[in-house]
Amino acid sequence: MDVRTICLGILTRGDATGYEIKKLFEEGAYSHFLEASFGSIYPALTRLTEEGLVSCRAETQEKRPDRKVYSITQAGRRAFIDALSGPMPEDKYRSPFLFAMLFAHQLPPEHVHALIDQRIAETEAMLRHLDDVGATADGPGEQFVIGYGRATFEGALAYLMAHRARFETKEPAAAE
Amino acid sequence: MDVRTICLGILTRGDATGYEIKKLFEEGAYSHFLEASFGSIYPALTRLTEEGLVSCRAETQEKRPDRKVYSITQAGRRAFIDALSGPMPEDKYRSPFLFAMLFAHQLPPEHVHALIDQRIAETEAMLRHLDDVGATADGPGEQFVIGYGRATFEGALAYLMAHRARFETKEPAAAE
DNA sequence: GTTTGCATGTAAACGGTTACATGATTGG
DNA sequence: CCAATCATGTAACCGTTTACATGCAAAC
Protein backbone atom coordinates (compact mmCIF):
# COMPACT_ATOMS: atom_id res chain seq x y z
CA MET A 1 0.00 0.00 0.00
CA ASP A 2 1.78 3.13 -1.15
CA VAL A 3 1.67 6.55 0.46
CA ARG A 4 -0.47 7.89 -2.39
CA THR A 5 -3.32 5.48 -1.68
CA ILE A 6 -3.05 5.98 2.05
CA CYS A 7 -3.29 9.77 1.68
CA LEU A 8 -6.34 9.30 -0.52
CA GLY A 9 -7.91 7.08 2.13
CA ILE A 10 -7.30 9.53 4.93
CA LEU A 11 -8.82 12.31 2.83
CA THR A 12 -12.05 10.31 2.37
CA ARG A 13 -12.56 10.87 6.10
CA GLY A 14 -12.23 14.63 5.81
CA ASP A 15 -9.98 17.40 4.54
CA ALA A 16 -6.48 17.66 5.92
CA THR A 17 -3.06 19.23 5.42
CA GLY A 18 0.11 17.24 4.89
CA TYR A 19 1.13 18.02 8.42
CA GLU A 20 -2.13 16.67 9.82
CA ILE A 21 -1.84 13.49 7.77
CA LYS A 22 1.58 12.90 9.27
CA LYS A 23 0.14 13.30 12.76
CA LEU A 24 -2.57 10.75 12.03
CA PHE A 25 0.14 8.34 10.98
CA GLU A 26 2.02 8.59 14.22
CA GLU A 27 -0.76 9.17 16.73
CA GLY A 28 -3.96 7.79 15.27
CA ALA A 29 -5.51 4.38 15.22
CA TYR A 30 -3.36 3.70 12.17
CA SER A 31 0.01 3.92 13.85
CA HIS A 32 0.46 0.21 14.46
CA PHE A 33 0.28 -0.83 10.84
CA LEU A 34 1.07 2.27 8.77
CA GLU A 35 3.88 4.79 8.65
CA ALA A 36 5.12 7.58 6.40
CA SER A 37 7.40 10.60 6.57
CA PHE A 38 7.06 14.16 5.27
CA GLY A 39 9.49 13.33 2.53
CA SER A 40 6.96 10.97 1.00
CA ILE A 41 3.69 12.65 2.00
CA TYR A 42 4.31 16.08 0.47
CA PRO A 43 5.43 14.82 -2.96
CA ALA A 44 2.51 12.36 -2.98
CA LEU A 45 0.04 15.17 -2.32
CA THR A 46 1.59 17.31 -5.07
CA ARG A 47 1.32 14.49 -7.60
CA LEU A 48 -2.23 13.66 -6.54
CA THR A 49 -3.17 17.31 -7.12
CA GLU A 50 -1.60 17.31 -10.60
CA GLU A 51 -3.59 14.21 -11.45
CA GLY A 52 -6.84 15.76 -10.25
CA LEU A 53 -7.43 13.16 -7.54
CA VAL A 54 -7.31 15.77 -4.82
CA SER A 55 -7.81 19.51 -4.82
CA CYS A 56 -5.96 22.01 -2.75
CA ARG A 57 -6.90 25.35 -1.25
CA ALA A 58 -4.32 27.53 0.40
CA GLU A 59 -5.20 29.11 3.72
CA THR A 60 -3.19 32.14 4.66
CA GLN A 61 -2.90 32.30 8.40
CA GLU A 62 -1.70 35.07 10.63
CA LYS A 63 1.01 34.14 13.07
CA ARG A 64 1.28 30.68 11.54
CA PRO A 65 2.78 29.43 8.30
CA ASP A 66 0.35 29.10 5.42
CA ARG A 67 -1.39 25.79 5.20
CA LYS A 68 -2.56 23.84 2.19
CA VAL A 69 -5.78 22.01 2.87
CA TYR A 70 -6.39 19.04 0.62
CA SER A 71 -9.79 17.61 -0.33
CA ILE A 72 -10.45 14.44 -2.25
CA THR A 73 -12.26 14.84 -5.58
CA GLN A 74 -14.86 12.56 -7.16
CA ALA A 75 -12.14 11.14 -9.42
CA GLY A 76 -10.05 10.59 -6.31
CA ARG A 77 -12.82 8.62 -4.60
CA ARG A 78 -13.17 6.44 -7.63
CA ALA A 79 -9.42 5.86 -7.85
CA PHE A 80 -9.37 4.98 -4.17
CA ILE A 81 -12.17 2.41 -4.41
CA ASP A 82 -10.44 0.95 -7.48
CA ALA A 83 -7.18 0.62 -5.57
CA LEU A 84 -8.97 -1.22 -2.75
CA SER A 85 -10.80 -3.47 -5.19
CA GLY A 86 -7.70 -4.78 -6.95
CA PRO A 87 -5.64 -7.62 -5.52
CA MET A 88 -4.35 -6.86 -2.02
CA PRO A 89 -0.58 -6.92 -1.54
CA GLU A 90 0.39 -9.24 1.31
CA ASP A 91 0.88 -7.96 4.83
CA LYS A 92 4.49 -7.49 5.79
CA TYR A 93 5.88 -8.00 9.22
CA ARG A 94 9.55 -7.28 9.81
CA SER A 95 10.75 -8.05 13.30
CA PRO A 96 14.30 -7.33 14.46
CA PHE A 97 13.14 -8.49 17.90
CA LEU A 98 12.17 -11.99 16.73
CA PHE A 99 15.28 -12.14 14.59
CA ALA A 100 17.43 -11.46 17.63
CA MET A 101 15.48 -14.00 19.71
CA LEU A 102 16.28 -16.64 17.12
CA PHE A 103 19.87 -16.40 18.34
CA ALA A 104 19.04 -16.19 22.04
CA HIS A 105 21.45 -18.98 22.93
CA GLN A 106 24.35 -17.03 21.40
CA LEU A 107 23.57 -13.86 23.38
CA PRO A 108 24.36 -12.99 27.00
CA PRO A 109 21.34 -14.15 29.08
CA GLU A 110 20.88 -10.73 30.66
CA HIS A 111 20.65 -9.21 27.21
CA VAL A 112 17.92 -11.64 26.19
CA HIS A 113 16.13 -10.94 29.42
CA ALA A 114 16.29 -7.19 28.82
CA LEU A 115 15.01 -7.66 25.28
CA ILE A 116 11.93 -9.53 26.49
CA ASP A 117 11.17 -7.08 29.29
CA GLN A 118 11.48 -4.19 26.89
CA ARG A 119 9.14 -5.91 24.49
CA ILE A 120 6.60 -6.53 27.25
CA ALA A 121 6.67 -2.82 28.13
CA GLU A 122 6.23 -1.82 24.49
CA THR A 123 3.33 -4.20 24.02
CA GLU A 124 1.59 -2.90 27.13
CA ALA A 125 2.10 0.66 25.89
CA MET A 126 0.62 -0.30 22.53
CA LEU A 127 -2.44 -1.82 24.21
CA ARG A 128 -2.97 1.33 26.26
CA HIS A 129 -2.67 3.40 23.11
CA LEU A 130 -5.27 1.27 21.35
CA ASP A 131 -7.62 1.70 24.31
CA ASP A 132 -7.19 5.48 24.09
CA VAL A 133 -7.92 5.73 20.39
CA GLY A 134 -10.62 3.06 20.64
CA ALA A 135 -12.61 5.27 22.98
CA THR A 136 -13.08 7.90 20.28
CA ALA A 137 -13.01 5.77 17.13
CA ASP A 138 -16.02 6.32 14.92
CA GLY A 139 -16.87 3.89 12.11
CA PRO A 140 -17.13 0.09 12.20
CA GLY A 141 -13.90 -0.15 10.20
CA GLU A 142 -11.91 1.68 12.83
CA GLN A 143 -13.41 -0.43 15.60
CA PHE A 144 -12.53 -3.58 13.71
CA VAL A 145 -8.95 -2.53 13.09
CA ILE A 146 -8.41 -1.53 16.70
CA GLY A 147 -9.95 -4.78 17.90
CA TYR A 148 -7.72 -6.76 15.57
CA GLY A 149 -4.67 -4.97 16.94
CA ARG A 150 -5.76 -5.63 20.52
CA ALA A 151 -6.29 -9.33 19.79
CA THR A 152 -2.82 -9.81 18.33
CA PHE A 153 -1.01 -7.75 20.97
CA GLU A 154 -2.85 -9.54 23.75
CA GLY A 155 -1.83 -12.87 22.26
CA ALA A 156 1.77 -11.71 22.07
CA LEU A 157 1.74 -10.31 25.60
CA ALA A 158 0.35 -13.50 27.12
CA TYR A 159 3.02 -15.49 25.31
CA LEU A 160 5.82 -13.20 26.46
CA MET A 161 4.66 -13.38 30.08
CA ALA A 162 4.37 -17.16 29.95
CA HIS A 163 7.80 -17.74 28.42
CA ARG A 164 10.09 -15.07 29.82
CA ALA A 165 11.24 -17.42 32.59
CA ARG A 166 12.83 -19.67 29.98
CA PHE A 167 15.45 -17.07 29.31
CA GLU A 168 15.79 -15.69 32.80
CA THR A 169 19.34 -14.72 33.75
CA LYS A 170 21.49 -17.61 34.88
CA GLU A 171 18.69 -20.16 34.72
CA PRO A 172 20.94 -23.23 34.92
CA ALA A 173 18.47 -25.32 32.87
CA ALA A 174 18.23 -28.97 33.96
CA ALA A 175 19.70 -30.51 30.82
CA GLU A 176 20.86 -29.08 27.51
CA MET B 1 17.45 -5.43 10.13
CA ASP B 2 19.29 -5.42 6.83
CA VAL B 3 19.91 -8.38 4.56
CA ARG B 4 23.63 -8.40 5.47
CA THR B 5 22.95 -9.07 9.14
CA ILE B 6 20.28 -11.64 8.36
CA CYS B 7 22.66 -13.57 6.08
CA LEU B 8 25.28 -13.49 8.81
CA GLY B 9 22.74 -14.86 11.27
CA ILE B 10 21.69 -17.70 9.04
CA LEU B 11 25.32 -18.63 8.48
CA THR B 12 25.90 -18.94 12.25
CA ARG B 13 23.58 -21.97 12.02
CA GLY B 14 25.63 -23.62 9.31
CA ASP B 15 27.15 -23.10 5.88
CA ALA B 16 24.87 -22.29 3.00
CA THR B 17 24.70 -21.02 -0.56
CA GLY B 18 22.82 -17.90 -1.60
CA TYR B 19 20.15 -20.10 -3.09
CA GLU B 20 19.68 -22.02 0.15
CA ILE B 21 19.45 -18.81 2.17
CA LYS B 22 16.66 -17.64 -0.11
CA LYS B 23 14.79 -20.91 0.47
CA LEU B 24 15.08 -20.52 4.21
CA PHE B 25 13.53 -17.08 3.85
CA GLU B 26 10.48 -18.37 2.07
CA GLU B 27 10.02 -21.80 3.59
CA GLY B 28 11.68 -21.79 6.99
CA ALA B 29 10.56 -20.75 10.42
CA TYR B 30 11.61 -17.24 9.46
CA SER B 31 9.13 -16.68 6.72
CA HIS B 32 6.54 -14.88 8.79
CA PHE B 33 8.77 -12.01 9.83
CA LEU B 34 11.63 -11.90 7.32
CA GLU B 35 11.96 -11.67 3.56
CA ALA B 36 14.61 -11.02 0.93
CA SER B 37 15.16 -11.52 -2.77
CA PHE B 38 18.13 -12.79 -4.78
CA GLY B 39 18.82 -9.26 -5.90
CA SER B 40 19.73 -8.34 -2.34
CA ILE B 41 21.16 -11.64 -1.06
CA TYR B 42 23.87 -12.16 -3.69
CA PRO B 43 25.35 -8.66 -3.50
CA ALA B 44 25.24 -8.86 0.32
CA LEU B 45 27.19 -12.12 0.28
CA THR B 46 29.75 -10.65 -2.11
CA ARG B 47 30.30 -7.63 0.08
CA LEU B 48 30.47 -9.74 3.24
CA THR B 49 33.20 -11.84 1.59
CA GLU B 50 35.20 -8.72 0.62
CA GLU B 51 35.00 -7.55 4.21
CA GLY B 52 36.20 -10.88 5.54
CA LEU B 53 33.03 -11.57 7.53
CA VAL B 54 32.30 -14.70 5.55
CA SER B 55 34.46 -17.01 3.46
CA CYS B 56 33.46 -18.73 0.28
CA ARG B 57 34.45 -22.00 -1.31
CA ALA B 58 33.31 -22.91 -4.80
CA GLU B 59 31.98 -26.38 -5.43
CA THR B 60 32.01 -27.56 -9.00
CA GLN B 61 29.16 -29.94 -9.57
CA GLU B 62 28.41 -32.26 -12.41
CA LYS B 63 24.98 -31.92 -13.94
CA ARG B 64 24.27 -28.87 -11.80
CA PRO B 65 25.49 -25.27 -11.88
CA ASP B 66 28.47 -24.52 -9.67
CA ARG B 67 27.62 -23.53 -6.16
CA LYS B 68 29.35 -21.14 -3.78
CA VAL B 69 29.15 -22.30 -0.21
CA TYR B 70 29.56 -19.54 2.34
CA SER B 71 30.86 -19.94 5.90
CA ILE B 72 30.91 -17.31 8.61
CA THR B 73 34.34 -16.31 9.93
CA GLN B 74 35.36 -15.41 13.48
CA ALA B 75 35.25 -11.73 12.51
CA GLY B 76 31.78 -12.37 11.11
CA ARG B 77 30.57 -13.89 14.36
CA ARG B 78 31.85 -10.90 16.27
CA ALA B 79 30.20 -8.46 13.85
CA PHE B 80 26.95 -10.37 14.15
CA ILE B 81 26.90 -10.32 17.95
CA ASP B 82 27.75 -6.60 17.83
CA ALA B 83 24.85 -5.95 15.48
CA LEU B 84 22.45 -7.74 17.85
CA SER B 85 23.84 -5.91 20.86
CA GLY B 86 23.22 -2.43 19.51
CA PRO B 87 19.82 -0.73 19.74
CA MET B 88 17.08 -2.76 18.06
CA PRO B 89 15.17 -1.06 15.27
CA GLU B 90 11.43 -1.18 15.86
CA ASP B 91 9.28 -3.93 14.43
CA LYS B 92 7.37 -2.89 11.37
CA TYR B 93 3.98 -4.15 10.42
CA ARG B 94 2.47 -2.98 7.15
CA SER B 95 -1.03 -4.21 6.53
CA PRO B 96 -2.94 -3.49 3.32
CA PHE B 97 -5.67 -5.73 4.73
CA LEU B 98 -6.25 -3.61 7.83
CA PHE B 99 -5.96 -0.47 5.76
CA ALA B 100 -8.74 -1.72 3.49
CA MET B 101 -10.86 -2.75 6.49
CA LEU B 102 -10.64 0.79 7.79
CA PHE B 103 -12.84 1.75 4.87
CA ALA B 104 -15.17 -1.25 5.09
CA HIS B 105 -18.28 0.94 5.06
CA GLN B 106 -17.27 2.43 1.70
CA LEU B 107 -16.75 -0.97 0.09
CA PRO B 108 -19.32 -3.42 -1.32
CA PRO B 109 -20.29 -5.75 1.56
CA GLU B 110 -19.48 -8.87 -0.44
CA HIS B 111 -16.00 -7.55 -1.03
CA VAL B 112 -15.43 -7.01 2.68
CA HIS B 113 -16.76 -10.46 3.36
CA ALA B 114 -14.40 -11.98 0.79
CA LEU B 115 -11.48 -10.06 2.30
CA ILE B 116 -12.15 -11.49 5.76
CA ASP B 117 -12.66 -15.04 4.53
CA GLN B 118 -9.46 -14.85 2.55
CA ARG B 119 -7.64 -13.58 5.60
CA ILE B 120 -9.01 -16.41 7.74
CA ALA B 121 -7.75 -18.94 5.20
CA GLU B 122 -4.31 -17.31 5.10
CA THR B 123 -4.07 -17.26 8.88
CA GLU B 124 -5.01 -20.93 9.12
CA ALA B 125 -2.41 -21.76 6.47
CA MET B 126 0.20 -19.82 8.43
CA LEU B 127 -0.65 -21.72 11.62
CA ARG B 128 -0.31 -25.03 9.80
CA HIS B 129 3.03 -23.91 8.43
CA LEU B 130 4.25 -22.98 11.89
CA ASP B 131 3.19 -26.40 13.17
CA ASP B 132 5.17 -28.05 10.39
CA VAL B 133 8.37 -26.14 11.00
CA GLY B 134 7.86 -26.31 14.77
CA ALA B 135 8.05 -30.09 14.65
CA THR B 136 11.65 -29.98 13.45
CA ALA B 137 12.87 -26.72 15.01
CA ASP B 138 16.02 -27.15 17.05
CA GLY B 139 17.15 -24.41 19.45
CA PRO B 140 15.19 -22.60 22.17
CA GLY B 141 15.28 -19.44 20.04
CA GLU B 142 13.48 -21.09 17.17
CA GLN B 143 10.89 -22.61 19.48
CA PHE B 144 10.30 -19.20 21.03
CA VAL B 145 9.90 -17.45 17.70
CA ILE B 146 7.49 -20.08 16.39
CA GLY B 147 5.49 -19.95 19.62
CA TYR B 148 5.31 -16.17 19.40
CA GLY B 149 4.02 -16.42 15.86
CA ARG B 150 1.42 -19.00 16.87
CA ALA B 151 0.23 -16.82 19.75
CA THR B 152 -0.31 -13.76 17.56
CA PHE B 153 -1.91 -15.63 14.67
CA GLU B 154 -4.22 -17.50 17.04
CA GLY B 155 -5.27 -14.18 18.57
CA ALA B 156 -5.94 -12.78 15.12
CA LEU B 157 -7.83 -15.86 14.00
CA ALA B 158 -10.11 -15.90 17.04
CA TYR B 159 -10.87 -12.23 16.46
CA LEU B 160 -11.64 -12.73 12.78
CA MET B 161 -13.97 -15.64 13.54
CA ALA B 162 -15.76 -13.67 16.25
CA HIS B 163 -16.29 -10.55 14.15
CA ARG B 164 -16.83 -11.71 10.60
CA ALA B 165 -20.60 -11.66 11.10
CA ARG B 166 -20.47 -7.89 11.53
CA PHE B 167 -19.63 -7.48 7.90
CA GLU B 168 -21.62 -10.38 6.51
CA THR B 169 -23.20 -9.66 3.13
CA LYS B 170 -26.44 -7.76 3.33
CA GLU B 171 -26.59 -7.82 7.11
CA PRO B 172 -29.14 -5.04 7.41
CA ALA B 173 -27.73 -3.95 10.79
CA ALA B 174 -30.38 -2.84 13.31
CA ALA B 175 -29.38 0.82 13.53
CA GLU B 176 -26.57 2.81 11.94
C1' DG C 1 16.66 31.32 26.18
C1' DT C 2 15.71 26.99 24.48
C1' DT C 3 12.61 23.60 23.14
C1' DT C 4 8.25 22.32 21.11
C1' DG C 5 4.67 22.93 17.78
C1' DC C 6 3.08 24.61 13.49
C1' DA C 7 3.95 24.35 8.47
C1' DT C 8 6.04 23.29 3.74
C1' DG C 9 9.19 21.61 0.79
C1' DT C 10 13.71 19.63 -1.78
C1' DA C 11 17.82 16.73 -2.79
C1' DA C 12 20.74 13.13 -1.96
C1' DA C 13 21.37 8.68 -0.37
C1' DC C 14 19.78 4.12 0.62
C1' DG C 15 18.03 -0.32 0.61
C1' DG C 16 15.57 -3.10 -1.85
C1' DT C 17 12.70 -5.30 -5.68
C1' DT C 18 11.92 -6.52 -10.52
C1' DA C 19 13.28 -7.92 -14.61
C1' DC C 20 16.71 -9.72 -17.31
C1' DA C 21 20.45 -13.02 -18.76
C1' DT C 22 22.05 -17.95 -18.84
C1' DG C 23 21.68 -22.93 -18.84
C1' DA C 24 21.35 -27.85 -17.59
C1' DT C 25 18.33 -31.53 -15.46
C1' DT C 26 14.36 -33.81 -13.83
C1' DG C 27 9.49 -34.73 -13.40
C1' DG C 28 4.88 -34.45 -15.02
C1' DC D 1 7.02 -30.66 -24.50
C1' DC D 2 6.69 -27.68 -20.71
C1' DA D 3 7.29 -26.48 -16.09
C1' DA D 4 9.92 -26.59 -12.11
C1' DT D 5 14.33 -26.96 -9.58
C1' DC D 6 18.98 -25.82 -9.12
C1' DA D 7 22.24 -21.94 -9.38
C1' DT D 8 24.41 -17.18 -9.92
C1' DG D 9 24.54 -12.66 -11.00
C1' DT D 10 23.63 -7.56 -12.90
C1' DA D 11 21.23 -3.22 -13.95
C1' DA D 12 17.53 -0.31 -13.93
C1' DC D 13 14.13 1.36 -11.29
C1' DC D 14 11.37 2.59 -7.17
C1' DG D 15 9.62 4.34 -3.01
C1' DT D 16 11.21 6.00 1.10
C1' DT D 17 14.02 7.93 4.63
C1' DT D 18 17.28 11.39 6.19
C1' DA D 19 19.08 15.59 6.25
C1' DC D 20 18.73 20.12 5.00
C1' DA D 21 16.45 24.78 4.45
C1' DT D 22 13.27 28.32 6.51
C1' DG D 23 10.72 30.78 10.07
C1' DC D 24 7.53 32.44 13.59
C1' DA D 25 4.95 31.76 18.15
C1' DA D 26 4.02 29.86 22.41
C1' DA D 27 5.32 27.42 26.36
C1' DC D 28 8.63 26.17 29.76
Side-chain angles (χ1 to χ4, degrees):
Chain A
M1 220 71 321
D2 51 32
V3 174
R4 277 168 55 81
T5 311
I6 299 174
C7 286
L8 235 31
I10 288 173
L11 292 175
T12 66
R13 320 212 123 204
D15 297 354
T17 65
Y19 192 83
E20 286 163 353
I21 290 172
K22 176 74 196 307
K23 287 199 73 183
L24 284 175
F25 273 111
E26 52 193 31
E27 290 166 21
Y30 317 126
S31 53
H32 65 102
F33 64 94
L34 292 179
E35 197 179 356
S37 63
F38 286 129
S40 55
I41 293 169
Y42 285 125
L45 253 13
T46 305
R47 244 193 82 195
L48 250 15
T49 308
E50 285 163 9
E51 293 170 12
L53 303 180
V54 305
S55 66
C56 171
R57 76 194 117 88
E59 281 182 11
T60 318
Q61 298 185 120
E62 288 162 42
K63 316 203 172 194
R64 282 267 163 251
D66 291 1
R67 58 212 305 270
K68 292 186 175 179
V69 182
Y70 293 91
S71 308
I72 192 165
T73 63
Q74 272 311 311
R77 281 178 199 277
R78 250 176 281 124
F80 179 62
I81 297 298
D82 284 354
L84 291 194
S85 303
M88 281 284 128
E90 277 177 40
D91 283 21
K92 280 186 180 161
Y93 179 50
R94 290 301 113 85
S95 178
F97 164 71
L98 288 182
F99 177 72
M101 286 305 295
L102 214 44
F103 304 95
H105 58 297
Q106 295 182 42
L107 263 28
E110 59 273 13
H111 185 221
V112 177
H113 195 212
L115 232 39
I116 295 178
D117 283 349
Q118 194 196 324
R119 169 52 64 112
I120 287 173
E122 284 165 10
T123 308
E124 284 169 342
M126 195 68 226
L127 282 167
R128 279 195 302 277
H129 177 246
L130 287 177
D131 282 342
D132 288 349
V133 294
T136 55
D138 41 339
E142 251 179 70
Q143 290 295 345
F144 178 87
V145 162
I146 290 166
Y148 188 96
R150 285 178 53 86
T152 59
F153 286 117
E154 275 163 10
L157 185 60
Y159 185 82
L160 289 166
M161 301 289 220
H163 293 276
R164 67 192 295 208
R166 268 201 203 167
F167 298 97
E168 208 103 285
T169 317
K170 280 288 131 81
E171 193 85 58
E176 205 287 293
Chain B
M1 218 74 316
D2 51 31
V3 174
R4 277 168 55 82
T5 311
I6 299 174
C7 287
L8 236 30
I10 288 172
L11 292 175
T12 65
R13 320 212 122 204
D15 297 355
T17 65
Y19 191 83
E20 285 164 353
I21 289 174
K22 176 75 196 307
K23 286 200 73 182
L24 284 176
F25 272 111
E26 51 194 31
E27 288 166 22
Y30 317 127
S31 54
H32 64 104
F33 63 93
L34 291 179
E35 198 180 354
S37 62
F38 285 130
S40 56
I41 292 170
Y42 285 125
L45 253 13
T46 306
R47 244 193 81 195
L48 250 14
T49 307
E50 286 162 9
E51 293 170 13
L53 302 180
V54 306
S55 65
C56 171
R57 76 194 118 88
E59 282 182 9
T60 318
Q61 299 184 120
E62 288 162 42
K63 317 201 173 198
R64 282 269 162 247
D66 292 1
R67 58 213 305 271
K68 292 186 177 180
V69 182
Y70 293 91
S71 307
I72 192 165
T73 62
Q74 272 310 311
R77 280 178 200 279
R78 250 177 281 125
F80 178 62
I81 297 297
D82 284 354
L84 290 195
S85 303
M88 282 284 129
E90 277 177 39
D91 283 22
K92 279 184 181 160
Y93 179 51
R94 289 302 111 85
S95 179
F97 165 70
L98 288 182
F99 177 71
M101 286 305 296
L102 214 43
F103 304 95
H105 58 295
Q106 294 182 42
L107 261 30
E110 59 273 13
H111 185 222
V112 176
H113 194 210
L115 232 39
I116 295 178
D117 283 350
Q118 194 196 326
R119 170 50 65 111
I120 287 174
E122 284 165 11
T123 308
E124 283 169 343
M126 195 68 227
L127 282 168
R128 278 195 302 277
H129 176 245
L130 287 177
D131 282 343
D132 289 349
V133 293
T136 55
D138 42 340
E142 252 180 68
Q143 290 295 344
F144 178 88
V145 161
I146 291 167
Y148 188 96
R150 285 179 53 86
T152 58
F153 286 116
E154 275 163 9
L157 185 60
Y159 184 82
L160 288 166
M161 301 287 221
H163 294 275
R164 66 192 294 207
R166 268 200 202 168
F167 299 98
E168 208 103 284
T169 316
K170 281 286 131 81
E171 191 87 56
E176 203 288 292

